[in-house]
């Protein structure tokens, strides 16, 4: 969902997606291979700037191995030292606002909200039915 929205804004050149289930729940060997593959893909891009929207230090590490001069993102722990513009993860703020902070740290205008791709038909809203 986030990758599709990022692509739809026109603010980014590329988004690297990956199987998050394998990354977080797969066997250790598979997770290490995935991480090595992601690092190689990021390095090949040779980006000028990298935006990190997840706070886990592994994402900051991938940003660091990219070689990008500017690396902004949500960070905690050791990840903060790997970003040029580490931003706090404020759980009180909506995640959309935190993502706009990351974009602003890289020079994007946070007030210019590009239209996001939303479904044309709204999903039905579940309603609660009280048993009698």
């Amino acid at each position: 969902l986030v990758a599709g929205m990022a692509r739809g804004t026109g603010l980014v050149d590329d988004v690297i997606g990956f199987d998050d289930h394998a990354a977080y729940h797969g066997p250790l060997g598979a997770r290490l291979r995935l991480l090595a593959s992601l690092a190689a893909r990021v390095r090949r891009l040779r980006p000028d700037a990298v935006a990190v929207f997840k706070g886990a230090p592994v994402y900051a590490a991938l940003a660091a191995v990219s070689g990008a001069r500017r690396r902004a993102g949500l960070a905690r722990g050791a990840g903060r030292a790997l970003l040029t513009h580490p931003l706090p993860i404020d759980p009180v703020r909506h995640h959309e606002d935190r993502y706009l902070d990351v974009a602003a740290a890289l020079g994007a205008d946070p007030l210019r909200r590009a239209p996001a791709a939303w479904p044309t038909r709204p999903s039905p809203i579940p309603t609660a039915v009280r048993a009698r």
Side-chain angles (χ1 to χ4, degrees):
L1 176 66
V2 174
M5 289 177 59
R7 286 184 184 104
T9 67
L11 296 173
V12 298
D13 295 324
D14 205 347
V15 175
I16 297 176
F18 61 93
D19 180 352
D20 61 339
H21 181 76
Y24 296 116
H25 305 290
L28 180 59
R31 288 188 285 171
L32 292 174
R33 284 190 298 279
L34 176 61
L35 185 58
S37 170
L38 286 171
R41 288 172 59 194
V42 168
R43 276 194 307 272
R44 279 195 301 274
L45 287 175
R46 300 175 54 139
D48 296 321
V50 174
V52 178
F53 297 107
K54 295 283 193 174
V58 68
Y59 298 108
L62 287 169
V65 301
S66 75
R69 225 175 8 92
R70 295 178 302 139
R71 301 176 305 277
L74 302 173
R76 64 175 151 245
R80 294 187 61 76
L82 300 172
L83 299 174
T84 58
H85 298 82
L87 301 170
I89 301 170
D90 182 352
V92 175
R93 296 186 69 226
H94 191 275
H95 64 271
E96 178 181 285
D97 293 319
R98 294 190 306 252
Y99 296 165
L100 289 171
D101 291 344
V102 173
L106 291 173
D109 181 355
L111 299 179
R112 179 186 162 259
R113 292 182 183 219
W118 297 106
T120 55
R121 258 184 308 152
S123 299
I125 299 172
T127 57
V129 177
R130 183 180 303 186
R132 295 186 190 257

